[in-house]
Amino acid sequence: MAFLLQNLLAQKTGKILALLLAAACFVQLVMNGSISQESWTEKKYTKIPEPTVVLVWHWPFHTEFTPREDVCLKLHAIDNCILTRNRSMFDGADVVVFHHRELQTNRSSLPQQTRPPNQKWLWVSMESPTNTKRIHQYNGCFNWTMTYKADSDIFLPYGALKKNDQPSNFSIPKKSGLLTWVVSNYRRTSLRAKVHANLSKHIDIQMYGRAAGTFLPSERLLPTISRYAFYLAFENSIHKDYITEKIWRNAFIAGSVPVVLGPPRENYERFVPPDSFIHVNDFASTEELASFLTALSTNRTRYEQYFNWRKTYTVKISTEWTERLCNICTKFHELPQQKIYHNLHSWFHQQ
Ligand SMILES: *[C@@H]1O[C@H](CO)[C@@H](O)[C@H](O)[C@H]1NC(C)=O
Ligand SMILES: *[C@@H]1O[C@H](CO)[C@@H](O)[C@H](O)[C@H]1NC(C)=O
Ligand SMILES: *[C@@H]1O[C@H](CO)[C@@H](O)[C@H](O)[C@H]1NC(C)=O
Ligand SMILES: *[C@@H]1O[C@H](CO)[C@@H](O)[C@H](O)[C@H]1NC(C)=O
Ligand SMILES: *[C@@H]1O[C@H](CO)[C@@H](O)[C@H](O)[C@H]1NC(C)=O
Ligand SMILES: *[C@@H]1O[C@H](CO)[C@@H](O)[C@H](O)[C@H]1NC(C)=O
């Protein structure tokens, strides 16, 4: 009998049983370590050849956080890397970091001082071009970039795979539902909402998020998703390399098989194994996709094949801004010392 159906029936025999199942499942996940959000860079000690000062002009999203100057050493084992928000250190800064969101309105937020000759200005954005406005005004302004685009000076993906030293003990979380989607920013006219609407005519999709009237607090996010066989990792906009936490965290860390809507399959395959995800474009219609998922959910052997890669790789995700920013120091001495993004806008929009 279908493994999913068994679990679904069990759940229907009573809420208490379902709750117990969920609790057991969560405990199992924690024990497997599959929910642990391990950090992205290696924690091995790295000493930067010369003291390097990274001045963050606005902390991303204007949080009040002020790093201690030794944060890179204390938290990330990167020595000789000074991360600061102290603007009086402008003249001595090797890199000044600008996160696009805080610059989006106009150029008035840029430093007014003259730039020291060898100082690098680094442009940072984790958002896609669709959600990154008024880039033109910064053409000819920056020397380096740090974004999710693989051809950035510093590539900052939402996640990455690390090869295991020995086969891992990953085990698939217990499943009690078929397919789920968690969406915070729902627009009926978006491509992902249309695909979801079409798909839901042929298969049962449990939707979570404000739009669905079922808001999930962050600590419930992964335990909830992990109970479903499949997760709709639908990007909000389609751009090369724009492969976000929707697949890395929501699907992979939770232990649910991602059904992706985003750049073409070949682009995903640059970063993740071909048999780790299902691509919407692999099917001629949403109806075919629905039948495929339904069939897959009733064949445990076939379903488990989507987890084979877990023996070889562990998923790492990047969430901490201090970690991302300290990492600039480790890249600093490898990057081109003379560079200007004359047309930042076209570089960022290039597919
Ligand atoms: C900021 O840097 C300046 C120049 O190095 C220093 O004099 C000042 O004490 C620093 N301010 C803070 C709050 O650390
Ligand atoms: C520039 O942007 C800032 C906010 O970043 C705003 O307060 C200011 O009014 C803007 N200036 C102009 C000329 O639009
Ligand atoms: C996996 O299981 C083996 C045997 O039970 C154990 O020796 C090993 O430490 C485990 N590895 C991890 C990464 O938990
Ligand atoms: C949704 O289904 C309709 C009717 O079958 C089809 O015309 C349309 O192209 C589909 N849209 C998407 C985004 O899948
Ligand atoms: C389940 O999938 C396996 C592997 O793809 C296949 O060999 C087997 O025939 C399938 N079983 C059923 C009942 O379809
Ligand atoms: C950095 O970019 C600015 C602005 O285009 C330019 O004037 C400066 O020469 C560049 N600096 C380096 C070290 O490439």
Side-chain angles (χ1 to χ4, degrees):
M1 194 191 189
F3 75 97
L4 258 174
L5 208 58
Q6 272 172 2
N7 286 327
L8 281 170
L9 286 174
Q11 199 181 34
K12 288 209 170 92
T13 59
K15 272 193 176 144
I16 294 172
L17 195 59
L19 277 172
L20 280 173
L21 196 74
C25 165
F26 183 52
V27 169
Q28 187 196 5
L29 268 168
V30 170
M31 280 169 42
N32 290 341
S34 49
I35 269 191
S36 79
Q37 305 199 2
E38 263 190 87
S39 84
W40 153 246
T41 44
E42 292 300 320
K43 286 278 157 69
K44 66 175 194 295
Y45 176 81
T46 311
K47 184 161 183 162
I48 310 304
E50 288 160 49
T52 303
V53 177
V54 175
L55 169 60
V56 183
W57 199 247
H58 305 95
W59 198 263
F61 306 106
H62 277 310
T63 49
E64 291 304 311
F65 179 76
T66 301
R68 283 176 42 154
E69 280 184 11
D70 59 357
V71 67
C72 297
L73 180 59
K74 286 277 153 59
L75 289 186
H76 306 294
I78 302 170
D79 202 350
N80 258 345
C81 178
I82 299 134
L83 185 67
T84 181
R85 283 184 75 167
N86 182 348
R87 291 183 175 184
S88 309
M89 288 174 72
F90 180 81
D91 285 337
D94 297 291
V95 186
V96 187
V97 178
F98 299 92
H99 181 245
H100 185 76
R101 180 63 64 88
E102 288 73 39
L103 299 184
Q104 194 155 270
T105 318
N106 59 51
R107 292 177 58 110
S108 71
S109 314
L110 289 177
Q112 304 304 312
Q113 300 95 310
T114 321
R115 269 195 236 199
N118 286 318
Q119 188 176 79
K120 312 299 184 302
W121 284 17
L122 172 69
W123 185 74
V124 180
S125 179
M126 289 297 276
E127 293 295 336
S128 78
T130 302
N131 299 307
T132 309
K133 307 291 182 204
R134 291 180 287 281
I135 308 176
H136 285 109
Q137 59 184 332
Y138 295 109
N139 287 348
C141 183
F142 295 104
N143 306 102
W144 290 342
T145 54
M146 180 163 84
T147 80
Y148 70 85
K149 261 166 74 78
D151 63 347
S152 304
D153 296 287
I154 303 176
F155 177 36
L156 182 60
Y158 282 79
L161 299 181
K162 185 180 163 278
K163 205 147 194 175
N164 297 330
D165 299 331
Q166 58 196 64
S168 84
N169 299 340
F170 177 85
S171 68
I172 303 173
K174 281 223 165 54
K175 303 298 178 185
S176 54
L178 188 58
L179 174 60
T180 188
W181 188 31
V182 181
V183 60
S184 48
N185 189 5
Y186 180 86
R187 278 186 306 113
R188 203 169 36 81
T189 53
S190 67
L191 176 64
R192 61 179 180 177
K194 286 181 186 158
V195 174
H196 167 263
N198 277 8
L199 196 56
S200 66
K201 289 181 196 145
H202 310 289
I203 192 171
D204 188 31
I205 308 173
Q206 177 63 55
M207 192 165 151
Y208 293 95
R210 275 211 184 80
T214 45
F215 172 73
L216 274 183
S218 59
E219 72 278 9
R220 295 283 316 129
L221 180 71
L222 298 184
T224 303
I225 295 173
S226 72
R227 301 201 315 264
Y228 292 85
F230 306 104
Y231 180 74
L232 296 183
F234 283 9
E235 299 300 348
N236 62 26
S237 49
I238 314 276
H239 300 276
K240 185 174 173 215
D241 302 340
Y242 189 59
I243 296 171
T244 69
E245 80 289 344
K246 294 169 183 67
I247 182 170
W248 289 108
R249 183 194 53 175
N250 299 11
F252 286 164
I253 302 267
S256 181
V257 173
V259 177
V260 305
L261 175 75
R265 171 172 272 279
E266 305 84 78
N267 195 216
Y268 278 89
E269 290 184 7
R270 274 190 70 182
F271 310 104
V272 301
D275 56 355
S276 65
F277 66 97
I278 294 159
H279 201 298
V280 167
N281 298 356
D282 293 343
F283 302 87
S285 67
T286 47
E287 190 172 359
E288 278 181 31
L289 171 57
S291 350
F292 178 80
L293 296 176
T294 309
L296 190 53
S297 74
T298 57
N299 185 334
R300 180 84 199 181
T301 316
R302 178 87 186 83
Y303 180 73
E304 279 177 355
Q305 288 169 357
Y306 282 86
F307 294 87
N308 279 347
W309 61 277
R310 299 265 185 174
K311 296 190 191 93
T312 324
Y313 297 104
T314 302
V315 177
K316 305 279 179 178
I317 61 172
S318 147
T319 50
E320 289 287 325
W321 277 104
T322 52
E323 183 178 26
R324 295 166 173 173
L325 295 166
C326 290
N327 209 27
I328 295 168
C329 287
T330 65
K331 301 284 172 14
F332 182 84
H333 297 274
E334 303 162 7
L335 293 178
Q337 291 304 308
Q338 293 293 326
K339 188 166 180 177
I340 299 171
Y341 277 82
H342 291 290
N343 197 334
L344 183 69
H345 179 272
S346 70
W347 171 77
F348 198 51
H349 280 77
Q350 207 171 69
Q351 287 294 304

